[in-house]
């Protein structure tokens, strides 16, 4: 059964938009908050730093070894036409959204085991990503990845005014409270499924 979700639009400080769907909502101290995810598939563009000790082999392929790192924002922006062209070959359309989030429209290729990498600062925060494509820009190798799990974002839905993204400047206890409430909702759903 396909569940349809209500959508909302978040705006960043540059008035750029990010369209999201609302997964669930909770009320904390008379304020409504929502757990949302971008409507379109999120992508991450990373650069291979080949001089470092290999730490990210993909299916034993030496060409895929190296340290994955965030590219310089200016270099990434300059590479956008190349990224668009590479994605175009996969019938995917690149979109630049608010909050420096890149998304794509189109049907993603099937997930193959050899294209799945765990990426993160540590084992605790590592996430699984699907490698969609690689390309070279200014003699550096880049990878275009999409997370296998949806990107989850907390947003506030005030009674008056536009919805807005919660930021690290918001109280940590608010995030703890929202996490606990939404985790409880997850458990309720699991309990209902078991009944």
């Amino acid at each position: 059964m396909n569940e349809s979700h209500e959508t909302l639009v978040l705006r960043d400080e540059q008035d750029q938009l990010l369209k999201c769907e609302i997964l669930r909502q909770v009320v904390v101290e008379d304020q409504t908050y929502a757990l949302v995810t971008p409507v379109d598939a999120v992508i991450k563009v990373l650069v291979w730093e080949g001089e470092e000790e290999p730490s990210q082999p993909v299916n034993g392929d030496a060409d895929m070894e190296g340290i994955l790192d965030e590219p310089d924002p200016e270099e990434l922006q300059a590479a956008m036409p190349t990224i668009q062209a590479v994605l175009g070959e996969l019938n995917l359309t690149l979109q630049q959204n608010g909050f420096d989030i890149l998304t794509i429209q189109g049907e993603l290729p099937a997930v193959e085991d050899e294209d799945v990498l765990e990426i993160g600062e540590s084992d605790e925060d590592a996430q699984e990503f699907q490698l969609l494509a690689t390309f070279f820009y200014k003699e550096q190798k880049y990878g275009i990845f999409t997370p296998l799990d949806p990107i989850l974002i907390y947003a506030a839905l005030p009674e008056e005014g536009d919805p807005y993204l919660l930021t690290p400047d918001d109280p940590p206890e608010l995030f703890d409270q929202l996490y606990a409430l939404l985790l409880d909702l997850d458990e309720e759903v699991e309990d209902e499924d078991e009944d």
Side-chain angles (χ1 to χ4, degrees):
M1 182 175 120
N2 286 338
E3 190 179 348
S4 62
H5 293 286
E6 186 183 347
T7 61
L8 61 77
V9 174
L10 299 172
R11 295 175 184 271
D12 65 13
E13 292 178 353
Q14 286 74 44
D15 208 34
Q16 291 182 302
L17 309 181
L18 177 65
K19 189 175 182 183
C20 296
E21 64 178 3
I22 299 173
L23 301 179
R24 41 181 89 99
Q25 300 180 45
V26 291
V27 178
V28 177
E29 296 177 3
D30 297 326
Q31 169 66 60
T32 302
Y33 297 94
L35 183 67
V36 306
T37 189
V39 169
D40 297 309
V42 173
I43 63 165
K44 195 175 186 72
V45 180
L46 298 172
V47 62
W48 261 278
E49 302 289 352
E51 281 72 35
E52 304 290 340
E53 286 297 313
S55 68
Q56 291 283 2
V58 179
N59 202 25
D61 186 345
D63 290 340
M64 296 291 190
E65 289 181 347
I67 301 294
L68 286 166
D69 202 1
E70 297 279 348
D72 175 80
E74 290 182 7
E75 285 290 319
L76 179 62
Q77 198 57 45
M80 282 298 167
T82 304
I83 297 168
Q84 177 66 75
V86 171
L87 290 169
E89 292 175 7
L90 299 172
N91 295 318
L92 299 170
T93 304
L94 175 68
Q95 300 176 107
Q96 293 183 259
N97 306 278
F99 310 100
D100 296 323
I101 291 177
L102 300 175
T103 59
I104 47 176
Q105 286 188 325
E107 188 172 342
L108 292 171
V111 179
E112 303 288 346
D113 287 346
E114 62 265 24
D115 293 331
V116 175
L117 285 82
E118 282 198 357
I119 300 172
E121 297 277 325
S122 64
D123 289 343
E124 288 78 22
D125 68 3
Q127 284 183 287
E128 286 192 325
F129 285 77
Q130 177 187 3
L131 175 64
L132 297 176
T134 59
F135 66 93
F136 283 88
Y137 180 76
K138 291 189 176 177
E139 299 182 357
Q140 281 207 287
K141 184 173 184 174
Y142 289 78
I144 303 173
F145 301 86
T146 187
L148 294 186
D149 293 323
I151 299 294
L152 302 177
I153 302 168
Y154 292 120
L157 282 58
E159 286 187 19
E160 295 183 10
D162 295 329
Y164 59 90
L165 183 73
L166 297 188
T167 71
D169 294 333
D170 288 295
E173 53 270 21
L174 173 60
F175 284 98
D176 292 342
Q177 201 169 3
L178 291 176
Y179 181 83
L181 287 167
L182 293 165
L183 187 63
D184 286 345
L185 286 174
D186 274 339
E187 289 171 354
E188 285 170 19
V189 170
E190 286 173 13
D191 291 342
E192 286 170 12
D193 289 343
E194 288 170 7
D195 291 342

Short mmCIF file of all heavy atoms in Angstrom, two decimals, residues 134-169:
data_model
loop_
_atom_site.label_atom_id
_atom_site.label_comp_id
_atom_site.label_asym_id
_atom_site.label_seq_id
_atom_site.Cartn_x
_atom_site.Cartn_y
_atom_site.Cartn_z
N THR A 134 31.39 7.71 -11.30
CA THR A 134 32.63 8.42 -11.01
C THR A 134 32.99 9.27 -12.21
O THR A 134 32.56 9.00 -13.34
CB THR A 134 33.79 7.44 -10.72
OG1 THR A 134 33.98 6.60 -11.86
CG2 THR A 134 33.51 6.58 -9.50
N PHE A 135 33.76 10.32 -11.96
CA PHE A 135 34.22 11.18 -13.05
C PHE A 135 35.49 11.89 -12.61
O PHE A 135 35.82 11.94 -11.41
CB PHE A 135 33.14 12.20 -13.45
CG PHE A 135 32.82 13.22 -12.39
CD1 PHE A 135 33.46 14.45 -12.35
CD2 PHE A 135 31.87 12.94 -11.41
CE1 PHE A 135 33.17 15.38 -11.36
CE2 PHE A 135 31.56 13.87 -10.42
CZ PHE A 135 32.21 15.10 -10.40
N PHE A 136 36.22 12.41 -13.59
CA PHE A 136 37.42 13.18 -13.30
C PHE A 136 37.17 14.64 -13.60
O PHE A 136 36.53 15.00 -14.59
CB PHE A 136 38.60 12.66 -14.13
CG PHE A 136 39.19 11.39 -13.60
CD1 PHE A 136 38.69 10.16 -14.00
CD2 PHE A 136 40.23 11.42 -12.68
CE1 PHE A 136 39.22 8.98 -13.51
CE2 PHE A 136 40.77 10.25 -12.18
CZ PHE A 136 40.26 9.02 -12.60
N TYR A 137 37.67 15.49 -12.71
CA TYR A 137 37.60 16.94 -12.92
C TYR A 137 38.91 17.52 -12.43
O TYR A 137 39.30 17.31 -11.28
CB TYR A 137 36.41 17.54 -12.16
CG TYR A 137 36.28 19.04 -12.33
CD1 TYR A 137 35.77 19.58 -13.51
CD2 TYR A 137 36.70 19.91 -11.33
CE1 TYR A 137 35.67 20.95 -13.69
CE2 TYR A 137 36.59 21.28 -11.49
CZ TYR A 137 36.08 21.79 -12.67
OH TYR A 137 35.99 23.15 -12.84
N LYS A 138 39.61 18.21 -13.33
CA LYS A 138 40.93 18.78 -13.01
C LYS A 138 41.85 17.72 -12.40
O LYS A 138 42.49 17.92 -11.39
CB LYS A 138 40.79 19.97 -12.07
CG LYS A 138 40.14 21.18 -12.72
CD LYS A 138 40.22 22.40 -11.83
CE LYS A 138 39.64 23.61 -12.54
NZ LYS A 138 39.63 24.82 -11.69
N GLU A 139 41.86 16.56 -13.05
CA GLU A 139 42.75 15.45 -12.70
C GLU A 139 42.47 14.85 -11.32
O GLU A 139 43.28 14.09 -10.79
CB GLU A 139 44.23 15.86 -12.80
CG GLU A 139 44.62 16.30 -14.21
CD GLU A 139 46.08 16.66 -14.33
OE1 GLU A 139 46.79 16.63 -13.30
OE2 GLU A 139 46.52 16.96 -15.45
N GLN A 140 41.32 15.16 -10.74
CA GLN A 140 40.93 14.53 -9.49
C GLN A 140 39.71 13.65 -9.72
O GLN A 140 38.83 14.00 -10.51
CB GLN A 140 40.63 15.57 -8.41
CG GLN A 140 41.88 16.16 -7.79
CD GLN A 140 41.61 16.64 -6.37
OE1 GLN A 140 40.97 17.65 -6.19
NE2 GLN A 140 42.10 15.92 -5.38
N LYS A 141 39.69 12.53 -9.03
CA LYS A 141 38.58 11.59 -9.20
C LYS A 141 37.49 11.88 -8.18
O LYS A 141 37.74 12.02 -6.98
CB LYS A 141 39.08 10.16 -9.02
CG LYS A 141 38.00 9.12 -9.29
CD LYS A 141 38.59 7.73 -9.27
CE LYS A 141 37.54 6.72 -9.63
NZ LYS A 141 38.10 5.37 -9.76
N TYR A 142 36.26 11.96 -8.68
CA TYR A 142 35.09 12.22 -7.85
C TYR A 142 34.12 11.05 -7.94
O TYR A 142 34.09 10.33 -8.93
CB TYR A 142 34.35 13.48 -8.33
CG TYR A 142 35.08 14.78 -8.06
CD1 TYR A 142 36.13 15.19 -8.87
CD2 TYR A 142 34.71 15.61 -7.01
CE1 TYR A 142 36.79 16.38 -8.63
CE2 TYR A 142 35.35 16.80 -6.76
CZ TYR A 142 36.40 17.18 -7.58
OH TYR A 142 37.06 18.37 -7.34
N GLY A 143 33.33 10.88 -6.89
CA GLY A 143 32.26 9.90 -6.89
C GLY A 143 30.94 10.58 -6.57
O GLY A 143 30.90 11.53 -5.77
N ILE A 144 29.87 10.12 -7.21
CA ILE A 144 28.52 10.61 -6.92
C ILE A 144 27.79 9.49 -6.20
O ILE A 144 27.64 8.39 -6.74
CB ILE A 144 27.77 11.01 -8.21
CG1 ILE A 144 28.56 12.05 -8.99
CG2 ILE A 144 26.38 11.54 -7.87
CD1 ILE A 144 27.97 12.37 -10.37
N PHE A 145 27.35 9.77 -4.98
CA PHE A 145 26.75 8.76 -4.12
C PHE A 145 25.34 9.16 -3.72
O PHE A 145 25.02 10.35 -3.64
CB PHE A 145 27.57 8.60 -2.82
CG PHE A 145 29.00 8.20 -3.04
CD1 PHE A 145 29.98 9.16 -3.27
CD2 PHE A 145 29.39 6.87 -3.01
CE1 PHE A 145 31.31 8.81 -3.47
CE2 PHE A 145 30.71 6.51 -3.21
CZ PHE A 145 31.68 7.48 -3.44
N THR A 146 24.50 8.17 -3.43
CA THR A 146 23.19 8.44 -2.83
C THR A 146 23.03 7.52 -1.63
O THR A 146 23.42 6.35 -1.68
CB THR A 146 22.04 8.23 -3.85
OG1 THR A 146 20.81 8.66 -3.27
CG2 THR A 146 21.92 6.78 -4.29
N PRO A 147 22.52 8.04 -0.51
CA PRO A 147 22.37 7.20 0.68
C PRO A 147 21.29 6.15 0.48
O PRO A 147 20.27 6.41 -0.17
CB PRO A 147 21.98 8.20 1.78
CG PRO A 147 21.39 9.36 1.06
CD PRO A 147 22.07 9.43 -0.27
N LEU A 148 21.51 4.95 1.03
CA LEU A 148 20.51 3.89 0.91
C LEU A 148 19.33 4.15 1.86
O LEU A 148 18.22 3.71 1.58
CB LEU A 148 21.14 2.53 1.20
CG LEU A 148 22.20 2.06 0.19
CD1 LEU A 148 22.63 0.64 0.50
CD2 LEU A 148 21.69 2.15 -1.24
N ASP A 149 19.59 4.83 2.96
CA ASP A 149 18.51 5.20 3.89
C ASP A 149 18.16 6.67 3.67
O ASP A 149 19.03 7.48 3.34
CB ASP A 149 18.95 4.99 5.35
CG ASP A 149 19.15 3.51 5.67
OD1 ASP A 149 18.37 2.69 5.15
OD2 ASP A 149 20.08 3.19 6.42
N PRO A 150 16.89 7.02 3.86
CA PRO A 150 16.50 8.42 3.63
C PRO A 150 17.19 9.38 4.59
O PRO A 150 17.52 9.02 5.72
CB PRO A 150 14.97 8.41 3.86
CG PRO A 150 14.69 7.16 4.61
CD PRO A 150 15.76 6.19 4.27
N ILE A 151 17.43 10.60 4.11
CA ILE A 151 17.98 11.66 4.95
C ILE A 151 16.83 12.24 5.78
O ILE A 151 15.82 12.68 5.23
CB ILE A 151 18.60 12.78 4.08
CG1 ILE A 151 19.75 12.22 3.21
CG2 ILE A 151 19.09 13.94 4.94
CD1 ILE A 151 20.94 11.74 3.98
N LEU A 152 16.98 12.21 7.10
CA LEU A 152 15.92 12.68 7.99
C LEU A 152 16.27 14.04 8.56
O LEU A 152 17.41 14.27 8.99
CB LEU A 152 15.69 11.67 9.11
CG LEU A 152 15.31 10.25 8.66
CD1 LEU A 152 15.18 9.32 9.85
CD2 LEU A 152 14.02 10.27 7.84
N ILE A 153 15.30 14.94 8.57
CA ILE A 153 15.50 16.32 9.00
C ILE A 153 14.38 16.69 9.96
O ILE A 153 13.22 16.31 9.76
CB ILE A 153 15.46 17.28 7.78
CG1 ILE A 153 16.54 16.89 6.76
CG2 ILE A 153 15.64 18.73 8.21
CD1 ILE A 153 16.39 17.61 5.42
N TYR A 154 14.71 17.44 11.01
CA TYR A 154 13.69 17.97 11.91
C TYR A 154 13.31 19.38 11.47
O TYR A 154 14.17 20.22 11.21
CB TYR A 154 14.21 18.05 13.35
CG TYR A 154 14.44 16.70 14.00
CD1 TYR A 154 15.72 16.34 14.45
CD2 TYR A 154 13.40 15.80 14.18
CE1 TYR A 154 15.94 15.12 15.05
CE2 TYR A 154 13.62 14.57 14.79
CZ TYR A 154 14.90 14.24 15.23
OH TYR A 154 15.11 13.03 15.82
N ALA A 155 12.02 19.65 11.41
CA ALA A 155 11.53 20.98 11.05
C ALA A 155 10.47 21.41 12.04
O ALA A 155 9.75 20.58 12.60
CB ALA A 155 10.95 20.98 9.63
N ALA A 156 10.38 22.73 12.25
CA ALA A 156 9.32 23.30 13.10
C ALA A 156 8.21 23.82 12.20
O ALA A 156 8.48 24.40 11.14
CB ALA A 156 9.89 24.42 13.96
N LEU A 157 6.98 23.60 12.63
CA LEU A 157 5.81 24.04 11.86
C LEU A 157 5.01 25.04 12.70
O LEU A 157 4.06 24.67 13.40
CB LEU A 157 4.91 22.86 11.49
CG LEU A 157 5.32 21.96 10.32
CD1 LEU A 157 6.68 21.34 10.50
CD2 LEU A 157 4.28 20.87 10.09
N PRO A 158 5.43 26.30 12.71
CA PRO A 158 4.71 27.29 13.53
C PRO A 158 3.30 27.53 13.01
O PRO A 158 3.02 27.33 11.83
CB PRO A 158 5.58 28.55 13.40
CG PRO A 158 6.33 28.37 12.12
CD PRO A 158 6.53 26.91 11.93
N GLU A 159 2.41 27.95 13.94
CA GLU A 159 1.03 28.24 13.53
C GLU A 159 1.00 29.40 12.55
O GLU A 159 0.18 29.45 11.64
CB GLU A 159 0.17 28.56 14.76
CG GLU A 159 -0.16 27.33 15.58
CD GLU A 159 -1.13 27.64 16.69
OE1 GLU A 159 -1.82 28.68 16.62
OE2 GLU A 159 -1.20 26.84 17.65
N GLU A 160 1.88 30.39 12.76
CA GLU A 160 1.99 31.52 11.84
C GLU A 160 3.40 31.56 11.28
O GLU A 160 4.37 31.34 11.99
CB GLU A 160 1.67 32.84 12.57
CG GLU A 160 0.23 32.92 13.05
CD GLU A 160 -0.08 34.24 13.71
OE1 GLU A 160 0.77 35.16 13.62
OE2 GLU A 160 -1.15 34.36 14.31
N GLY A 161 3.51 31.85 10.00
CA GLY A 161 4.83 31.89 9.37
C GLY A 161 5.18 30.58 8.70
O GLY A 161 4.45 29.59 8.78
N ASP A 162 6.33 30.58 8.04
CA ASP A 162 6.76 29.42 7.26
C ASP A 162 7.42 28.38 8.15
O ASP A 162 8.04 28.71 9.17
CB ASP A 162 7.76 29.86 6.18
CG ASP A 162 7.12 30.77 5.15
OD1 ASP A 162 5.91 30.60 4.89
OD2 ASP A 162 7.81 31.66 4.62
N PRO A 163 7.35 27.10 7.74
CA PRO A 163 8.11 26.07 8.45
C PRO A 163 9.61 26.34 8.31
O PRO A 163 10.04 26.95 7.34
CB PRO A 163 7.71 24.77 7.75
CG PRO A 163 7.17 25.18 6.43
CD PRO A 163 6.60 26.55 6.59
N TYR A 164 10.37 25.90 9.30
CA TYR A 164 11.81 26.15 9.23
C TYR A 164 12.58 24.95 9.78
O TYR A 164 12.06 24.17 10.57
CB TYR A 164 12.20 27.44 9.97
CG TYR A 164 11.83 27.46 11.43
CD1 TYR A 164 12.72 26.98 12.40
CD2 TYR A 164 10.59 27.95 11.87
CE1 TYR A 164 12.40 26.99 13.74
CE2 TYR A 164 10.26 27.96 13.21
CZ TYR A 164 11.17 27.48 14.15
OH TYR A 164 10.83 27.48 15.48
N LEU A 165 13.81 24.85 9.30
CA LEU A 165 14.70 23.75 9.67
C LEU A 165 15.28 24.01 11.06
O LEU A 165 15.70 25.13 11.36
CB LEU A 165 15.83 23.66 8.64
CG LEU A 165 16.85 22.55 8.76
CD1 LEU A 165 16.23 21.22 8.38
CD2 LEU A 165 18.04 22.85 7.84
N LEU A 166 15.30 22.98 11.89
CA LEU A 166 16.01 23.11 13.17
C LEU A 166 17.51 23.06 12.90
O LEU A 166 17.97 22.33 12.02
CB LEU A 166 15.61 21.99 14.12
CG LEU A 166 14.14 21.96 14.55
CD1 LEU A 166 13.94 20.92 15.66
CD2 LEU A 166 13.64 23.31 15.03
N THR A 167 18.26 23.84 13.65
CA THR A 167 19.71 23.93 13.44
C THR A 167 20.44 23.53 14.72
O THR A 167 19.82 23.43 15.79
CB THR A 167 20.12 25.37 13.06
OG1 THR A 167 19.98 26.21 14.24
CG2 THR A 167 19.24 25.92 11.94
N PRO A 168 21.76 23.34 14.64
CA PRO A 168 22.53 23.01 15.86
C PRO A 168 22.43 24.09 16.93
O PRO A 168 22.77 23.84 18.09
CB PRO A 168 23.97 22.88 15.34
CG PRO A 168 23.82 22.50 13.90
CD PRO A 168 22.59 23.22 13.43
N ASP A 169 21.98 25.30 16.56
CA ASP A 169 21.82 26.36 17.55
C ASP A 169 20.60 26.12 18.45
O ASP A 169 20.49 26.73 19.52
CB ASP A 169 21.66 27.73 16.87
CG ASP A 169 22.93 28.14 16.13
OD1 ASP A 169 24.01 27.69 16.55
OD2 ASP A 169 22.83 28.88 15.14
#
